[in-house]
Amino acid sequence: MNARVLSLDAFRGFTIAAMLLVNNPGSWSHMYGPLAHAPWHGWTFTDWIFPFFVFISGMAMPISLGRRAAMGDDKLRLLAQTARRAATIIAIGLLLNWIPAFDLAELRIPGVLQRLGLCTLLAAPIVLWWGWRGQLVWALGLLAAYAAAMLLIPVPGADGIVRTGALLPGQDLGAFIDRALLGEAHLWKQAKTWDPEGLLSTVPAVATQLFGVLAGQWLLSRREPGEKAMWFMVSGLACLWIGQLLDAWLMPINKNLWTPSYVFAMAGWAQLVFACCYWLLDAMPLPLARARMAQLAKPLLVFGMNALFIFALSGLVAKLLGSVKPDGQHSLKALLYAPIQQLGLAPVNASLLYALGFLSAMYVVAWVMWKKQWFIKV
């Protein structure tokens, strides 16, 4: 198999495009329901995006890290390289959080890139020193340990009342650990008492990465492409079923807490979406049809080739648009959004149009980089 898998790049591109769309509305007060996170329990389309990134990161590990280890590369050296890459990703996330206030006293320490870096760092030794059975045991063990801790350990909530198994904002074990270790000043500013990318909920996120690793190993197997696509579908449906059972019997599906039910449900959706990409771009037994699908999927492939760079750039641009005020009163975003609001559209459609414009601008950047063969890796 080639180092680059067309369907994996398309899947990555789909995820980054979805992230750009949902993260950059014209107004956070005017959004279609699927383009916003679930308020607490439950999920929406937007709640696909982060676990898809983690899952994709896991899928890439057997293609690069695992295969190099199998070829005889020194495992400790590979681990050190992975640690440097993870540290770089974490540093970029912290830098983005530091902008534009440049205030270390209130720097938010958790974040999306920070979690991605930690998941990669923690999953790497499991990928290097365990086979697929050990990786599965690790994933299930992490989920079981996390559920037991969350449900059985009593902790004081943000209001000072001690509770056991409370799965409410700021009242759970993870929120207690974040407040104790990081301090409220370094948590998500919209909450202060908890963080959606907190320390403890990174543990089940590692399980998401390991499920991605298992999917990547199946992708590398010598099975026929059609068989691979079929079993991605079967496994995805099985994970969705397990997620629904855990939602009913153990812990609700919850992105902020990254509950075991959320891990299985999102791993299920990730496999189903990837199975579609894989069948259309790599497994379909009609070369002309595959070539046509590759042409149609080209925007996703363009995004997928520089996904991490576009992710970081979009975050930086969004912060600058919201903080720079050319006239001293209105931000650049407000000045760009005002003409759209004057088009006579419904507020939700005006907000969506702005998001589509932001997505298009980022695509132009990604296309120029793709055209010039500029591929930035960490």
Side-chain angles (χ1 to χ4, degrees), residues 20-147:
L20 293 171
L21 183 68
V22 304
N23 277 5
N24 298 281
S27 170
W28 291 101
S29 300
H30 299 102
M31 299 172 63
Y32 283 100
L35 302 184
H37 287 291
W40 191 245
H41 295 322
W43 63 274
T44 70
F45 167 79
T46 300
D47 295 308
W48 277 11
I49 296 170
F50 194 3
F52 278 21
F53 273 122
V54 179
F55 191 90
I56 291 166
S57 178
M59 287 191 72
M61 294 184 83
I63 297 174
S64 55
L65 191 64
R67 189 161 57 182
R68 289 176 61 189
M71 292 173 61
D73 283 14
D74 183 74
K75 292 182 179 180
L76 289 177
R77 185 168 63 86
L78 291 174
L79 183 61
Q81 292 175 352
T82 303
R84 286 194 293 271
R85 180 175 183 272
T88 301
I89 293 172
I90 292 170
I92 293 171
L94 289 171
L95 179 61
L96 288 174
N97 284 357
W98 193 41
I99 299 170
F102 300 102
D103 183 2
L104 291 176
E106 294 193 359
L107 170 67
R108 183 191 173 202
I109 295 176
V112 170
L113 290 179
Q114 292 88 313
R115 174 162 287 180
L116 284 171
L118 284 174
C119 286
T120 298
L121 178 63
L122 296 173
I126 301 173
V127 173
L128 288 170
W129 276 281
W130 274 272
W132 73 266
R133 292 179 180 86
Q135 293 159 9
L136 178 60
V137 169
W138 266 103
L140 297 178
L142 290 173
L143 293 176
Y146 176 73

Side-chain angles (χ1 to χ4, degrees), residues 185-376:
H186 296 292
L187 301 180
W188 188 44
K189 288 181 172 52
Q190 282 83 343
K192 288 290 189 182
T193 58
W194 60 278
D195 197 291
E197 280 81 55
L199 294 172
L200 185 62
S201 58
T202 299
V203 171
V206 175
T208 296
Q209 181 123 355
L210 291 174
F211 283 140
V213 170
L214 293 170
Q217 290 181 344
W218 177 246
L219 181 63
L220 287 177
S221 72
R222 297 182 181 274
R223 303 282 185 168
E224 290 297 320
E227 183 181 359
K228 292 181 189 179
M230 179 191 71
W231 281 106
F232 274 127
M233 284 283 186
V234 171
S235 177
L237 291 171
C239 284
L240 283 177
W241 178 70
I242 294 172
Q244 290 301 314
L245 289 180
L246 293 176
D247 175 70
W249 295 347
L250 184 68
M251 299 171 74
I253 293 173
N254 187 301
K255 180 263 180 188
N256 295 299
L257 301 178
W258 214 281
T259 53
S261 56
Y262 179 71
V263 170
F264 273 99
M266 295 302 109
W269 281 118
Q271 289 177 88
L272 292 174
V273 174
F274 177 73
C276 293
C277 295
Y278 182 64
W279 172 257
L280 293 172
L281 296 173
D282 290 311
M284 190 179 357
L286 300 171
L288 292 179
R290 288 203 312 272
R292 179 57 178 162
M293 291 310 304
Q295 291 177 339
L296 294 175
K298 184 177 176 180
L300 300 182
L301 297 172
V302 169
F303 268 133
M305 297 295 281
N306 274 303
L308 181 60
F309 176 81
I310 295 298
F311 183 103
L313 177 65
S314 67
L316 176 61
V317 170
K319 284 176 176 287
L320 293 177
L321 288 175
S323 60
V324 175
K325 299 180 179 179
D327 61 0
Q329 292 182 323
H330 303 94
S331 67
L332 279 173
K333 178 179 179 178
L335 294 174
L336 291 172
Y337 187 40
I340 299 176
Q341 291 176 296
Q342 296 171 5
L343 294 176
L345 300 172
V348 289
N349 291 332
S351 182
L352 177 60
L353 184 58
Y354 177 89
L356 290 171
F358 189 97
L359 172 64
S360 300
M362 288 296 105
Y363 177 74
V364 170
V365 175
W367 184 85
V368 170
M369 295 179 70
W370 172 81
K371 193 70 174 176
K372 293 184 176 292
Q373 298 291 291
W374 293 344
F375 302 125
I376 298 178

